[in-house]
Amino acid sequence: MTGETVEVPAAPVPGAPVVVVGIGADGWDGLAPTSRAEVERAEVLLGSARQLGLVPPEVTAERVPWPSPLTEALPGLVEEHAGRAVVVLASGDPMLSGIGTTLTRLLGADRVRVLPAPSSVSLACARLGWAVEDTCVVSLVGRPIELLHPHVQPGARLLVLGSDGGTPAQVAALLSGRGYGRSPVTVLGGLGGPDEEVRTGTAATWSQPVAALVITAVECRADRGTVPLPTTPGLPDGAYESDGQLTRSEVRAVTLARLAAVPGQLLWDVGAGAGSIGIEWMRAHPNCRAVAVEASAGRAERIARNAARLGVPYLRVVHGHAPEVLSRLGAPDAVFVGGGLTTPLLVESCWDALPAGGRLVANAVTVEGEAVLARWHARVGGELVRVEVQRAEPVGSFTGWRPAMPVTIWSVTRW
């Protein structure tokens, strides 16, 4: 529930192991004997000014408040005190969006000892009577509010960690804008401390000011007529702002199934159009990453808007022509080619960039595009599928079937 998590480059730092002690809102009195003993023997205490103030003056360690910004300063700060007994103070569980995770990445697990206190998540679930394993935790600490979108689903229970007291109002506004205004909202502050407080309301009516350190609990309830936007492939076409360059819902579902999104992997969405393939790849799991490559400046801007509105604001949008810009991207685990198939060297560049086990999926709606796919299929194998969709539409006073253009899908795994 604090802003302690930062990304730092891994680097070995010599010296004694660093001890990270979780401390709750109940302060010194709430520390376990083992944690208290580590703080008492420390030569250096690192932490926020608030956390350092929870330690009684009898503890004689040098107190060093975190500098700002912390990201660049942390490696040098730890190295400066190498060889001394360093204790880092953290809020609650240091491994839950906390400094414990950051230090472990920096120093290695064998150089960090973590002594957690109950986390804000555990305390909030205890107060609410929610099972922790059935509750989704969303950290917005230093992150955009749009990351909440994929988690807003009917019946979902959410615990939202925020950077400041403005988070509950932002969460309520997002819920109301999505058609979840009747969702109960509970804001819990000072959990575990003497000033613990709980405030309740609904997203549509929320207007209460709150303190800085709070956790926002939500039970998602859709308003009548609200259409859910699941994280499974094939969102409704109307979920996207588009000029018509959009992989349609049914074809999109098949395409994403063949791309096989894996957490942590990177997708190139080449000729992205409205960005739907890259967006739904990232919606499949919070750790999925994607780059959308689009030659049209207007479409590139539209992709960014779609990505933010659908909860994946970290989608990287590259305005430029493929294959020229592909060398600037990180190595992909999967590639989708949705446009420009007849561009010289485009498929070659995408294929050459793939590692063993990488997937390539390309869609074509023209004879010329199909010819490119047929040649590549003959060269490296894979699977060719043609998808045809017909939709029922009025024909006078009756109903008939209107076919959409068939789409040929080539999918292949490189071994």
Side-chain angles (χ1 to χ4, degrees):
M1 194 164 60
T2 69
E4 295 171 322
T5 298
V6 293
E7 295 296 329
V8 295
V13 180
V18 172
V19 179
V20 185
V21 172
I23 187 167
D26 49 0
W28 184 253
D29 292 338
L31 282 182
T34 302
S35 297
R36 186 178 296 187
E38 289 291 347
V39 175
E40 289 174 333
R41 75 172 186 84
E43 296 175 284
V44 179
L45 283 178
L46 301 176
S48 68
R50 180 187 65 84
Q51 292 158 351
L52 293 172
L54 295 174
V55 179
E58 292 76 18
V59 176
T60 59
E62 177 186 355
R63 304 187 186 206
V64 180
W66 291 127
S68 181
L70 178 59
T71 305
E72 297 82 2
L74 186 59
L77 189 62
V78 174
E79 186 171 8
E80 177 185 347
H81 299 289
R84 303 176 71 189
V86 176
V87 171
V88 174
L89 299 178
S91 294
D93 184 351
M95 302 304 289
L96 177 63
S97 296
I99 192 69
T101 303
T102 304
L103 286 169
T104 301
R105 290 174 181 163
L106 174 66
L107 304 175
D110 59 335
R111 293 286 324 287
V112 181
R113 183 183 178 208
V114 179
L115 301 175
S119 70
S120 59
V121 168
S122 296
L123 291 170
C125 286
R127 303 297 186 269
L128 296 164
W130 293 1
V132 175
E133 66 269 20
D134 295 331
T135 303
C136 177
V137 180
V138 183
S139 176
L140 299 181
V141 178
R143 299 169 182 168
I145 185 68
E146 289 84 3
L147 290 173
L148 189 60
H149 278 296
H151 304 284
V152 178
Q153 304 293 343
R157 286 178 166 176
L158 311 177
L159 289 180
V160 184
L161 313 182
S163 299
D164 53 48
T167 300
Q170 294 176 332
V171 170
L174 183 146
L175 290 165
S176 297
R178 278 282 308 276
Y180 288 78
R182 68 190 190 97
S183 301
V185 175
T186 303
V187 175
L188 306 102
L191 284 167
D195 300 323
E196 182 174 312
E197 63 175 344
V198 177
R199 301 189 183 191
T200 61
T202 65
T205 61
W206 187 266
S207 61
Q208 304 181 48
V210 297
L213 293 176
V214 297
I215 188 166
T216 306
V218 177
E219 293 185 83
C220 296
R221 295 183 186 172
D223 301 338
R224 185 178 180 85
T226 296
V227 177
L229 296 178
T231 55
T232 50
L235 289 179
D237 293 344
Y240 293 94
E241 180 187 348
S242 168
D243 62 358
Q245 293 299 312
L246 173 70
T247 303
R248 301 298 173 180
S249 176
E250 296 84 359
V251 175
R252 195 184 322 131
V254 174
T255 299
L256 283 156
R258 293 173 181 273
L259 285 168
V262 174
Q265 291 196 345
L266 174 67
L267 170 75
W268 288 359
D269 182 0
V270 181
S276 62
I277 296 296
I279 288 170
E280 294 191 31
W281 167 280
M282 291 184 68
R283 281 175 62 90
H285 191 276
N287 291 336
C288 286
R289 300 170 295 129
V291 181
V293 179
E294 176 52 54
S296 164
R299 288 177 185 160
E301 294 173 359
R302 189 178 296 118
I303 291 168
R305 293 195 296 270
N306 283 332
R309 190 175 61 254
L310 291 169
V312 289
Y314 291 141
L315 172 70
R316 180 184 172 193
V317 182
V318 175
H319 172 221
H321 293 271
E324 289 83 358
V325 299
L326 299 183
S327 61
R328 308 204 310 257
L329 312 182
D333 300 286
V335 177
F336 171 66
V337 182
L341 271 173
T342 58
T343 303
L345 301 179
L346 175 58
V347 179
E348 284 88 344
S349 299
C350 293
W351 177 256
D352 291 342
L354 284 173
R359 288 86 65 201
L360 174 62
V361 178
N363 293 359
V365 295
T366 66
V367 172
E368 292 79 5
E370 286 184 336
V372 173
L373 298 187
R375 288 196 299 271
W376 273 91
H377 178 258
R379 175 179 167 184
V380 300
E383 186 175 9
L384 280 172
V385 174
R386 175 170 285 182
V387 177
E388 299 186 52
V389 177
Q390 300 184 37
R391 291 184 172 85
E393 296 184 5
V395 179
S397 59
F398 297 93
T399 302
W401 294 102
R402 186 177 298 278
M405 291 184 66
V407 179
T408 299
I409 301 175
W410 173 53
S411 55
V412 62
T413 300
R414 180 167 188 172
W415 297 110

